Amino acid sequence: MGNVQGVGARERQEDSFAILNAADPEALERQGLFAVVADGMGGLENGDAVSQTAVSAVMNGFYAQPEEEPRHKLLRLLTEANRAVNRMLGPENLGGSGSTLVLGLVQEERFYFLSVGDSRICLFRDGSLLQLNREHNYRCRLELNAVNGEGTLEEAQSHPKAAGLTSYLGMGQLAYVDQPEDFVAIRPGDRFLLMSDGVYNALTVLELEQYLSLPAQEAAEAIGKAVEEKAWPGQDNYTAVILQC
């Protein structure tokens, strides 16, 4: 596995992440390789504390039921993370802060995932990068409206609130969760990339494909270096975790 994280042009780090079982062969064999990335919502209060609370809840719950079916496990971890964040914020502050959440589990030559918000989970295979999850933002809602005759696709892309989240931890009851019915069958050489929007907003798909051809940690470091070299004004916090199979 590989990982990289940076503050960008922000004052503090609001992304959090964790990788479990990478250094424990016995646990890796028994429960798989697990990764979580949470992106605290910039511009809202306590984004760093919210993402840390979410990741801590996921880490604490991961080993609770070792024989649990993987897809069910990810749903349970999401439940625990959202409850922890809602409890931390309190009823009066729901919606005043929040975090995205992406979970990825490699187990028995299968990859399982779950997401809430706009952080991404991608598969790099045979030189091509494929996004696996669906983002929960206002742009997607506007695009659906356009398909149904309300507004245009161009307006959906340029709307000033297009990037606003429509589902995130800390809003109380979640509006959307993205989880496939089935797993991804892993092929030798596959790489799974979990990343916050500070990565994919700074780098193109072609750039990411170029870096992901490297071994996992080298790829992560190349991604971080490329983000820093772009030096975009207002560069968001960025986090990338790579699971190489």
Side-chain angles (χ1 to χ4, degrees):
M1 66 86 186
N3 65 84
V4 67
Q5 185 175 72
V7 175
R10 299 297 174 88
E11 294 182 357
R12 64 180 186 272
Q13 179 60 260
E14 295 185 323
D15 290 0
S16 299
F17 78 96
I19 303 169
L20 301 181
N21 295 343
D24 186 340
E26 183 177 340
L28 181 64
E29 177 70 22
R30 186 173 62 254
Q31 291 188 293
L33 179 63
F34 178 75
V36 51
V37 173
D39 179 358
M41 294 167 63
L44 299 182
E45 295 183 0
N46 303 318
D48 51 349
V50 173
S51 68
Q52 292 166 14
T53 297
V55 170
S56 294
V58 168
M59 293 175 65
N60 291 336
F62 181 77
Y63 297 106
Q65 301 181 36
E67 302 303 321
E68 194 172 16
E69 189 273 326
R71 190 173 181 276
H72 185 273
K73 177 188 286 288
L74 297 186
L75 286 169
R76 177 178 60 80
L77 294 177
L78 169 62
T79 302
E80 295 178 6
N82 194 44
R83 284 176 178 170
V85 169
N86 289 340
R87 185 166 53 248
M88 185 200 81
L89 293 175
E92 67 281 3
N93 294 317
L94 293 180
S97 188
S99 176
T100 70
L101 188 75
V102 289
L103 309 176
L105 175 63
V106 174
Q107 189 174 57
E108 296 180 350
E109 300 181 1
R110 299 171 177 178
F111 179 71
Y112 303 85
F113 69 87
L114 176 151
S115 71
V116 176
D118 65 353
S119 294
R120 289 183 181 177
I121 305 173
C122 298
L123 166 63
F124 180 72
R125 174 182 287 173
D126 297 332
S128 297
L129 189 66
L130 173 67
Q131 183 175 342
L132 297 177
N133 67 320
R134 179 179 302 175
E135 297 163 38
H136 303 135
N137 56 33
Y138 194 46
R139 174 182 54 79
C140 293
R141 183 178 295 176
L142 291 172
E143 289 174 343
L144 179 59
N145 289 345
V147 170
N148 289 324
E150 301 175 19
T152 68
L153 292 174
E154 290 74 20
E155 290 171 347
Q157 294 294 329
S158 61
H159 194 283
K161 295 184 179 180
L165 297 186
T166 55
S167 191
Y168 57 89
L169 275 64
M171 66 187 297
Q173 293 185 337
L174 298 174
Y176 306 103
V177 176
D178 194 43
Q179 186 186 44
E181 290 293 330
D182 210 346
F183 53 82
V184 177
I186 295 173
R187 299 179 186 175
D190 281 353
R191 291 164 173 81
F192 296 95
L193 171 64
L194 286 67
M195 59 181 166
S196 62
D197 63 351
V199 176
Y200 66 76
N201 283 334
L203 304 179
T204 67
V205 170
L206 290 177
E207 288 171 326
L208 288 170
E209 288 174 343
Q210 175 186 348
Y211 306 136
L212 287 166
S213 64
L214 300 169
Q217 186 55 38
E218 292 181 33
E221 292 170 1
I223 288 171
K225 182 180 178 182
V227 172
E228 294 292 344
E229 289 179 345
K230 294 274 186 177
W232 294 115
Q235 170 65 50
D236 199 357
N237 304 149
Y238 60 89
T239 300
V241 173
I242 301 169
L243 306 179
Q244 180 177 339
C245 304

